[in-house]
Amino acid sequence: PIYFLIVKNITLTIFAFIQCILYFSISSIILQIQNIFFIYIGYLLLSSFIGCSLGLLASAVLKDKKAIINILPLVLIPQIIFGGAVIEFEKMNRKLKIYSESVIPEFCQVIPSRWLFEGLFTAQAKLNVYKKRIITLNLKEEKLLELRKDNRINNEKFNKKREVIQKKKINLLQNYDTKDYVNDDISMCVAFIDGKFYNNPKNYFLSSKKLYFGKAFNTYNTNVLIIIIYGLFINLLTFFIIQFYFKYK
């Protein structure tokens, strides 16, 4: 069963990869998404991986093709409704939460699309070419200010290095049309949630940082790891079901 699952996943991943490239190549032209190709392809491929894993699990549990077709809406509809894109978690019934102070209803945490949507959303806001370069320059300026505050650099060197950074920022503004790289709605939303995060650190939905084990991590990285673990768990469950089936057949 293990080799069957590996071959199935590899085959489906290859076809999914081709489909992701075709889908994104067309949609990126229509939606004017630029210079973030590999991030979108990566998240779309992870989405395909989860979809294929759920499909293999369903086929392992149900042997009747008609039953599998009938159960598909029960699998897909929650991904759409509870992924965070269609209905805001804050507007959901508070009685659905186990812990009333939870930002996200606990049952939504087991919905793969919730992690995929949040990860891609924050990646679009933080990893587009323009934003990445601005963030890099801001970090350099912050480090420079720290050096000046600790008297580890004199005024002359500080002013020269800061002037270089400011010139690079001006060149960036002149050479890049932000409309071609930045989605204002997404950026404003993430910036707003990040403000809440820094004022009251906890795991807000759509914040670019998440707290785990007392440390802050980038949301778009942690969500990728969570989805991979989720997919591996589904495949492990499928493996045990198939093994049980052949053992007692």
Side-chain angles (χ1 to χ4, degrees):
I2 187 67
Y3 296 113
F4 168 78
L5 274 178
I6 292 172
V7 172
K8 268 285 186 181
N9 274 289
I10 291 172
T11 305
L12 291 170
T13 299
I14 292 170
F15 282 106
F17 182 65
I18 296 169
Q19 290 174 339
C20 288
I21 291 174
L22 291 173
Y23 173 79
F24 183 71
S25 298
I26 296 169
S27 59
S28 62
I29 295 171
I30 298 170
L31 300 173
Q32 295 183 322
I33 304 170
Q34 298 186 36
N35 291 302
I36 198 169
F37 177 83
F38 292 106
I39 293 166
Y40 267 82
I41 292 298
Y43 265 95
L44 288 172
L45 199 57
L46 281 173
S47 178
S48 301
F49 170 58
I50 289 295
C52 293
S53 298
L54 288 171
L56 289 171
L57 178 61
S59 64
V61 174
L62 303 170
K63 305 305 174 185
D64 187 359
K65 291 182 179 180
K66 291 182 179 179
I68 295 173
I69 294 171
N70 290 333
I71 204 174
L72 279 177
L74 297 177
V75 176
L76 294 175
I77 290 174
Q79 305 299 324
I80 298 169
I81 295 176
F82 302 118
V86 178
I87 302 173
E88 294 179 26
F89 292 130
E90 293 179 356
K91 293 181 180 179
M92 289 185 181
N93 191 339
R94 292 183 181 179
K95 292 181 180 179
L96 295 174
K97 297 180 182 179
I98 297 172
Y99 178 55
S100 60
E101 296 299 320
S102 295
V103 178
I104 303 171
E106 286 77 8
F107 76 92
C108 291
Q109 301 286 17
V110 300
I111 304 295
S113 59
R114 165 258 184 277
W115 301 99
L116 289 162
F117 172 69
E118 182 186 43
L120 186 56
F121 195 92
T122 54
Q124 170 64 52
K126 295 295 182 180
L127 297 181
N128 62 78
V129 173
Y130 175 80
K131 196 71 176 181
K132 280 175 70 176
R133 294 189 179 183
I134 282 289
I135 289 172
T136 301
L137 291 172
N138 286 338
L139 288 173
K140 287 182 178 179
E141 192 169 17
E142 285 176 12
K143 288 180 180 178
L144 191 62
L145 288 166
E146 285 180 8
L147 290 173
R148 181 68 190 89
K149 186 179 179 181
D150 297 335
N151 294 318
R152 287 184 285 169
I153 187 172
N154 59 45
N155 286 332
E156 186 180 352
K157 287 184 178 179
F158 172 78
N159 290 328
K160 282 183 179 179
K161 289 187 176 182
R162 194 173 192 183
E163 187 178 348
V164 171
I165 293 172
Q166 293 298 327
K167 283 182 179 179
K168 286 182 178 180
K169 284 185 178 181
I170 292 169
N171 289 333
L172 192 63
L173 287 167
Q174 290 174 342
N175 296 327
Y176 283 84
D177 186 352
T178 57
K179 291 180 181 179
D180 293 337
Y181 302 94
V182 179
N183 184 301
D184 291 333
D185 294 331
I186 291 175
S187 295
M188 286 177 64
C189 179
V190 172
F192 174 73
I193 302 298
D194 279 352
K196 293 174 67 176
F197 173 83
Y198 289 114
N199 286 325
N200 180 24
K202 62 180 180 179
N203 292 335
Y204 292 100
F205 184 62
L206 299 182
S207 66
S208 64
K209 296 287 184 180
K210 289 289 185 290
L211 285 174
Y212 296 105
F213 309 109
K215 294 183 179 180
F217 298 92
N218 291 322
T219 299
Y220 41 81
N221 290 333
T222 56
N223 284 22
V224 166
L225 182 61
I226 289 168
I227 283 296
I228 291 172
I229 293 171
Y230 203 115
L232 292 175
F233 173 76
I234 294 171
N235 276 281
L236 187 64
L237 186 60
T238 305
F239 166 74
F240 284 122
I241 291 171
I242 293 173
Q243 194 175 44
F244 178 82
Y245 172 77
F246 280 107
K247 186 177 180 179
Y248 292 99
K249 185 177 178 182

